[in-house]
């Protein structure tokens, strides 16, 4: 019995759903990462992607959330309804495993944030070996796997505090930029002209779109909350519109603000790893506040990452193990301990995260490790998002079987064309994301990163293919003894 049933009259409003989802979709770091890849031209890219990808994407999520407003499983439930249990398992596995590089990335970011809090600068990379960086990262996510269930409610509370503070810090950065310009401050990007906003289309630019899509996707994380809304069919799409508007506002203005305090033509090589801290450090210097903004951001980042790590580890593992047809999983993996926790699922999480971290730790320096793990998200996450668009296409192909109050594009042929467009560009850019954007082509490190970008996703898929075979063997073995 669900103990929350007596409280069912306490619904979640659509603005709250939008804000909760916003925290998982876009953050200050996402703006930094793509600013290093494309410079001020990323402003043009954000605007372009807002219209050709983000709005259709959010509205497709709104349509599916309205169709399946009584299902709390999110995308895996949508795929099971439209494509059957097997594809539901494949989606659940890829959706879950694609989040593991991000978990490692979050743990990495926690180590970096502590380094800035302790030293007040970027010297951590020169004081720590690759092995120590990998070890600390592994220790962090292992500890969180086994203590987060005891602190679950507190950490979810801190995630709201940290996420809200992160949003406010980003808005503050934009506001302070406007104040700086208003008092006559000159942009650090020179020349700061229209040409600086024009993308230079080459292989690096095209490959960097994977990280753009990674930064903008994730709105389906709000799908499990549709069952807790008073009128999900009407209000969930409103939340998606609000999310799209907030995403566009923050990415465009945030990137513009970075071009004011950084010279977009000569960016630090470690901007992805340390850029958020540089940004607030520079802002503090411009306004005579010393290191105040830097430490405020470092503390916010640490709290946000700790809470996010705990929620991702617990929620992701539980969702995968509980929302998947059990016939595709070994019995030991779904077994619960005395506290009702899928302990072996946590061990599997630990093993895969450790493999990813150890494999990437073979790179020559901490900056390369951080960048490769970050860009790995731009490969695996968009591939998973393709399931979202395929579900939408199938729903519109069988429109009469899936009635809904909210219809995104009433013309079926046009809706299918938009869904196909989103599927194709997502798949294309995920594939192009395999190309290393942070290393010079032809170098040893370039080929090292390229190999990792191919091998790591394949190993994750291979494990997902082995689990159903183990489950089938177990069933056959048990039947033979009956």
């Amino acid at each position: 019995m669900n103990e929350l049933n007596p409280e069912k009259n306490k619904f979640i409003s659509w603005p709250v759903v939008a804000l909760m989802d916003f925290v998982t979709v876009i953050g200050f770091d996402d703006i930094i990462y793509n600013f290093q890849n494309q410079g001020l031209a990323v402003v043009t890219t954000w605007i372009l992607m807002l219209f050709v990808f983000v709005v259709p994407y959010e509205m497709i999520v709104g349509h599916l959330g309205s169709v399946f407003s009584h299902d709390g499983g999110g995308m895996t439930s949508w795929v099971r309804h439209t494509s059957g249990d097997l594809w539901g398992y494949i989606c659940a596995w890829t959706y879950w495993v694609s989040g593991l590089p991000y978990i490692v990335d979050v743990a990495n970011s926690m180590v970096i944030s502590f380094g800035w809090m302790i030293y007040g600068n970027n010297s951590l990379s020169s004081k720590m070996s690759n092995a120590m960086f990998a070890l600390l990262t592994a220790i962090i996510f292992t500890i969180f796997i086994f203590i987060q269930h005891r602190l679950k409610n507190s950490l979810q509370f801190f995630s709201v505090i940290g996420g809200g503070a992160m949003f406010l810090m980003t808005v503050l950065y934009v506001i302070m930029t406007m104040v700086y310009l208003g008092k006559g401050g000159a942009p650090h990007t020179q020349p700061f002209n229209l040409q600086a906003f024009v993308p230079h289309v080459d292989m690096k630019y095209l490959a960097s779109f994977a990280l753009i899509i990674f930064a903008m996707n994730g709105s389906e994380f709000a799908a499990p909350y549709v069952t807790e809304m008073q009128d999900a069919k009407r209000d969930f799409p409103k939340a998606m519109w609000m999310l799209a508007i907030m995403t566009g506002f923050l990415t465009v203005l945030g990137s513009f603000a970075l071009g004011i305090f950084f010279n977009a033509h000569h960016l630090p090589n470690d901007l992805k790893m340390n850029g958020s801290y540089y940004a607030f450090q520079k802002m503090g210097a411009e306004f005579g506040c010393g290191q105040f903004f830097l430490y405020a951001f470092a503390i916010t980042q640490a709290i946000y990452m700790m809470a996010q790590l705990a929620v991702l580890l617990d929620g992701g593992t539980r969702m995968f193990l509980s929302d998947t047809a059990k016939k595709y999983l070994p019995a030991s993996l779904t077994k619960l301990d005395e506290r009702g926790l899928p302990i072996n699922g946590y061990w599997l999480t630990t093993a895969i995260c450790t493999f990813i971290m150890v494999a990437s730790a073979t790179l020559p320096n901490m900056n390369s490790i951080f960048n490769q793990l970050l860009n790995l998200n731009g490969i695996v996450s968009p591939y998973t998002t393709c399931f979202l668009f395929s579900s939408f296409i199938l729903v519109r192909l069988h429109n009469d079987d899936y009635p809904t109050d909210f219809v995104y594009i009433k013309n079926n042929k046009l809706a299918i064309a938009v869904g196909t467009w989103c599927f194709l560009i997502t798949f294309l850019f995920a594939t192009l994301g395999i190309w290393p954007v942070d290393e010079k082509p032809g170098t040893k490190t370039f080929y090292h990163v390229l190999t990792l970008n191919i091998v790591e996703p394949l190993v994750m898929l291979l494990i997902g293919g082995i689990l159903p075979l183990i489950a089938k063997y177990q069933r056959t073995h048990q039947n033979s003894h009956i």
Side-chain angles (χ1 to χ4, degrees):
M1 183 181 293
N2 188 349
E3 296 178 359
L4 296 178
N5 281 339
E7 304 295 327
K8 272 291 183 183
N9 59 326
K10 295 184 178 179
F11 297 106
I12 301 178
S13 66
W14 64 266
V16 172
V17 170
L19 288 169
M20 291 168 65
D21 210 14
F22 178 80
V23 172
T24 67
V25 171
I26 201 80
F28 193 75
D29 282 342
D30 292 311
I31 301 170
I32 287 280
Y33 301 152
N34 290 289
F35 186 75
Q36 181 173 35
N37 283 341
Q38 299 186 11
L40 268 177
V42 79
V43 173
T44 304
T45 302
W46 286 127
I47 294 172
L48 176 67
M49 290 297 286
L50 183 65
F51 291 103
V52 303
F53 181 78
V54 175
V55 171
Y57 170 58
E58 312 291 9
M59 293 305 100
I60 285 172
V61 172
H63 185 104
L64 292 173
S66 185
V67 169
F68 304 109
S69 58
H70 299 293
D71 288 285
M75 191 161 68
T76 53
S77 292
W78 303 343
V79 172
R80 279 215 321 276
H81 281 296
T82 56
S83 305
D85 280 351
L86 176 60
W87 278 105
Y89 164 76
I90 294 170
C91 175
W93 172 261
T94 54
Y95 192 64
W96 172 68
V97 82
S98 69
L100 299 189
Y102 184 60
I103 287 174
V104 177
D105 191 45
V106 170
N108 277 342
S109 296
M110 281 178 60
V111 176
I112 302 299
S113 67
F114 288 133
W116 276 89
M117 280 192 286
I118 294 169
Y119 301 114
N121 54 46
N122 65 347
S123 62
L124 181 69
S125 57
S126 62
K127 298 177 185 292
M128 185 179 292
S129 66
N130 289 0
M132 181 57 68
F133 185 49
L135 180 62
L136 281 177
T137 300
I139 288 173
I140 284 174
F141 64 67
T142 303
I143 289 174
F144 269 81
I145 281 176
F146 293 104
I147 69 167
Q148 50 74 32
H149 62 273
R150 300 184 184 277
L151 303 170
K152 184 181 176 184
N153 293 333
S154 298
L155 285 170
Q156 285 179 341
F157 171 76
F158 281 126
S159 71
V160 174
I161 299 299
M166 184 65 70
F167 175 67
L168 291 176
M169 291 294 288
T170 308
V171 172
L172 173 67
Y173 194 81
V174 173
I175 292 173
M176 297 298 276
T177 301
M178 300 308 168
V179 172
Y180 171 77
L181 291 174
K183 68 175 188 175
H188 287 217
T189 297
Q190 293 298 331
F192 192 81
N193 53 23
L194 188 62
Q195 187 64 33
F197 292 87
V198 177
H200 176 64
V201 181
D202 55 11
M203 188 61 192
K204 179 180 178 180
Y205 177 75
L206 294 174
S208 69
F209 266 85
L211 213 55
I212 292 277
I213 290 180
F214 170 67
M216 290 179 150
N217 73 6
S219 60
E220 66 276 4
F221 286 134
Y225 297 104
V226 297
T227 57
E228 298 182 40
M229 301 177 77
Q230 187 169 15
D231 189 349
K233 289 186 177 183
R234 181 194 66 192
D235 291 342
F236 187 73
K238 291 181 182 177
M240 294 300 99
W241 269 116
M242 180 176 170
L243 177 64
I245 293 168
M246 291 176 68
T247 301
F249 172 84
L250 209 62
T251 52
V252 172
L253 291 183
S255 299
F256 177 85
L258 289 174
I260 301 301
F261 288 113
F262 287 93
N263 184 349
H265 306 302
H266 300 284
L267 293 170
N269 186 51
D270 63 342
L271 193 73
K272 287 181 180 176
M273 185 166 70
N274 293 308
S276 298
Y277 305 96
Y278 291 153
F280 285 95
Q281 191 176 45
K282 285 175 177 288
M283 189 174 74
E286 291 287 355
F287 285 91
C289 298
Q291 300 278 65
F292 173 76
F293 288 122
L294 168 65
Y295 283 110
F297 178 79
I299 293 169
T300 299
Q301 179 87 326
I303 295 172
Y304 180 52
M305 291 299 175
M306 282 190 284
Q308 193 176 37
L309 186 60
V311 173
L312 284 170
L313 284 168
D314 182 62
T317 302
R318 291 190 187 209
M319 185 181 295
F320 168 59
L321 295 176
S322 64
D323 195 47
T324 306
K326 291 192 175 182
K327 66 181 179 181
Y328 296 108
L329 293 173
S332 59
L333 200 58
T334 59
K335 184 179 180 181
L336 304 178
D337 66 8
E338 65 276 7
R339 296 185 299 275
L341 299 172
I343 193 68
N344 291 328
Y346 290 156
W347 278 119
L348 179 63
T349 301
T350 304
I352 297 176
C353 286
T354 301
F355 159 73
I356 294 170
M357 189 65 232
V358 170
S360 298
T362 58
L363 288 166
N365 56 66
M366 191 186 297
N367 190 49
S368 292
I369 295 171
F370 187 93
N371 289 344
Q372 189 271 328
L373 286 170
L374 171 65
N375 292 327
L376 184 62
N377 290 291
I379 302 169
V380 296
S381 182
Y383 274 135
T384 307
T385 306
C386 289
F387 283 105
L388 178 78
F389 302 124
S390 65
S391 293
F392 177 72
I393 293 168
L394 289 170
V395 163
R396 298 311 296 262
L397 283 170
H398 304 90
N399 211 37
D400 293 339
D401 297 331
Y402 301 101
T404 175
D405 288 349
F406 171 74
V407 179
Y408 174 55
I409 306 177
K410 292 185 179 180
N411 184 294
N412 248 7
K413 290 183 179 179
L414 180 58
I416 292 169
V418 171
T420 303
W421 159 260
C422 289
F423 178 93
L424 291 175
I425 64 169
T426 302
F427 187 88
L428 172 65
F429 288 136
T431 305
L432 289 174
I434 296 172
W435 182 271
V437 296
D438 295 300
E439 308 298 339
K440 186 177 180 180
T443 62
K444 183 178 179 181
T445 305
F446 175 89
Y447 290 114
H448 191 164
V449 171
L450 182 63
T451 302
L452 290 174
N453 287 349
I454 296 171
V455 171
E456 289 177 343
L458 286 178
V459 169
M460 290 188 280
L461 285 176
L462 182 63
I463 295 171
I466 291 173
L467 294 180
L469 297 178
I470 296 174
K472 184 178 180 180
Y473 171 80
Q474 288 178 340
R475 288 197 307 274
T476 304
H477 189 68
Q478 287 174 348
N479 293 335
S480 66
H481 285 77
I482 295 176

